[in-house]
């Protein structure tokens, strides 16, 4: 699983890693499922993912992926810092905080 370097504000890539161990990070993550299926565990809750699903993961949210039996799993990851959208959003740690900002409305 790729990570952002501290000088980047955004990173976009395709991941075909399959199973991904529990981890968390200090940026927002927009995920789109390209193919396959997997069980995602996010903050202890298990969710089945399939092609076409998308979601956003907030800062410091523990999550992992386990491929569905006999299926490959591929996602597009867009890792970004809120300041990529606007420098005044640097304090935001949840996507809901970004959306509540007066500049976004």
């Amino acid at each position: 699983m790729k990570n952002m370097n501290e000088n980047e504000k955004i990173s976009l890539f395709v991941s075909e890693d399959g199973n991904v161990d529990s981890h968390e990070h200090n940026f927002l993550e927009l995920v789109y499922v390209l193919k396959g299926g997997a069980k995602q565990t996010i903050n202890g809750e298990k969710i089945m993912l399939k092609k076409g699903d998308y979601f956003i993961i907030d800062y410091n949210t523990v999550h992992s992926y386990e491929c569905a039996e006999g299926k490959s799993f591929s996602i597009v990851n867009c890792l970004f810092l809120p300041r990529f959208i606007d420098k005044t959003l640097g304090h935001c740690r949840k996507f809901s905080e970004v959306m509540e900002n007066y500049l976004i409305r």
Side-chain angles (χ1 to χ4, degrees):
M1 195 70 158
K2 185 176 187 267
N3 214 337
M4 285 178 52
N5 103 29
E6 63 185 51
N7 297 320
E8 291 178 302
K9 292 182 189 175
I10 188 167
S11 179
L12 183 66
F13 60 96
V14 173
S15 175
E16 296 180 341
D17 291 340
N19 294 339
V20 177
D21 292 334
S22 290
H23 66 284
E24 59 184 294
H25 32 67
N26 292 320
F27 44 81
L28 295 174
E29 179 178 358
L30 169 63
V31 179
Y32 177 78
V33 180
L34 281 175
K35 69 177 181 179
K39 179 172 36 178
Q40 177 190 47
T41 303
I42 186 162
N43 288 333
E45 182 181 342
K46 296 183 185 314
I47 301 165
M48 290 305 297
L49 301 175
K50 64 184 180 327
K51 179 181 175 178
D53 287 346
Y54 61 93
F55 49 92
I56 295 178
I57 300 173
D58 291 328
Y59 277 61
N60 303 315
T61 300
V62 177
H63 58 287
S64 64
Y65 303 100
E66 183 181 333
C67 288
E69 195 171 314
K71 292 190 177 187
S72 59
F73 181 59
S74 178
I75 58 177
V76 174
N77 266 90
C78 179
L79 313 176
F80 66 99
L81 299 174
R83 70 175 190 248
F84 170 75
I85 297 168
D86 188 281
K87 65 182 177 182
T88 64
L89 300 175
H91 66 283
C92 296
R93 296 295 178 260
K94 294 183 177 186
F95 187 69
S96 60
E97 293 173 351
V98 171
M99 295 308 296
E100 290 171 359
N101 190 284
Y102 76 95
L103 295 172
I104 303 297
R105 293 182 193 174

